[in-house]
Amino acid sequence: MHLEEKLILVKPDASYAEEIISYRREMLLADSSMDGCGSLRRMENPHEWLKENETYANPETVPKDRVQSTQFVLTREEEKRILGMIQVRHYFNEYLEKYAGHIGYSVRPTERRRGYAKRMLHESLAFCREIGLDRILVSCLRENEGSRRTILANGGIYETTVYEPRENVWLERYWIAIPSQKK
């Protein structure tokens, strides 16, 4: 990360449509996990994806088999380049409680190893506090050293490793306490 670059964590809107397309394309070409992107993997139209994000963010419209969630993107402000995506789930369903947790995130392949995931996770903690969470569950693939370091750098405390049979993967589960708001 360059010292002079200004990064912002924002809820994406239509002004990011081209960047959403670009982010999706780069992730797919790299065959990269799209954690924290909601349904972006299967949605080519960024406006449909944005509309779905709105549906999930509203407790009145979130589908009954899903949970309320809020989508954010980390951007380099001067160029509005999406560097990463992070999704905060407001509460659990059975799957999230056992495997995925409150937060999923990913970083664009060409922007990795620059501290962006660490920053996104850190900045999302204030939002988690705003929605009433005092701690969050974050999981990562057992072999994902970068994600493990991101979680640990944000105060993650290891709980356990679980096997997720649908994806045939082992996931490490970590809890992060949400710091109280400073006065």
Side-chain angles (χ1 to χ4, degrees):
M1 184 167 41
H2 301 94
L3 292 176
E4 67 277 0
E5 70 183 352
K6 184 169 181 190
L7 305 178
I8 55 172
L9 189 68
V10 296
K11 295 176 187 175
D13 60 28
S15 71
Y16 288 96
E18 290 303 314
E19 263 305 297
I20 293 165
I21 291 168
S22 175
Y23 186 91
R24 179 182 183 273
R25 182 183 312 116
E26 187 173 324
M27 295 294 278
L28 291 173
L29 285 173
D31 194 28
S32 193
S33 169
M34 293 178 72
D35 299 324
C37 298
S39 59
L40 186 59
R41 177 174 290 283
R42 65 177 171 77
M43 288 191 152
E44 289 184 37
N45 183 325
H47 300 285
E48 289 177 14
W49 180 73
L50 290 165
K51 180 70 173 149
E52 185 170 275
N53 289 339
E54 290 176 20
T55 299
Y56 278 65
N58 184 338
E60 302 297 318
T61 58
V62 65
K64 292 195 185 315
D65 60 333
R66 302 296 180 169
V67 302
Q68 185 179 359
S69 61
T70 303
Q71 183 71 52
F72 295 96
V73 294
L74 181 70
T75 68
R76 193 174 295 123
E77 186 176 47
E78 66 272 6
E79 58 185 308
K80 290 184 86 170
R81 178 172 171 81
I82 296 177
L83 306 171
M85 294 194 180
I86 189 164
Q87 184 183 71
V88 177
R89 297 120 187 176
H90 297 217
Y91 51 88
F92 290 144
N93 60 20
E94 186 178 339
Y95 181 85
L96 294 175
E97 185 172 26
K98 192 168 185 180
Y99 303 113
H102 288 100
I103 290 182
Y105 55 84
S106 61
V107 174
R108 182 181 215 124
T110 56
E111 299 287 353
R112 291 184 180 154
R113 302 181 65 89
R114 298 179 187 173
Y116 297 141
K118 178 181 171 184
R119 181 161 179 167
M120 280 191 304
L121 183 54
H122 175 76
E123 289 188 17
S124 71
L125 296 180
F127 177 77
C128 292
R129 182 180 52 247
E130 286 174 22
I131 62 171
L133 299 173
D134 58 3
R135 67 183 193 141
I136 58 164
L137 175 65
V138 184
S139 66
C140 67
L141 293 172
R142 181 170 57 185
E143 63 274 8
N144 190 336
E145 183 64 28
S147 190
R148 177 183 307 108
R149 287 181 187 202
T150 292
I151 296 165
L152 292 172
N154 278 284
I157 304 295
Y158 174 78
E159 179 197 61
T160 189
T161 300
V162 297
Y163 177 71
E164 199 281 305
R166 285 191 306 192
E167 299 292 324
N168 189 30
V169 295
W170 289 92
L171 297 167
E172 294 180 353
R173 294 165 41 98
Y174 294 84
W175 287 95
I176 299 174
I178 307 294
S180 59
Q181 192 163 5
K182 295 176 181 149
K183 297 190 182 199

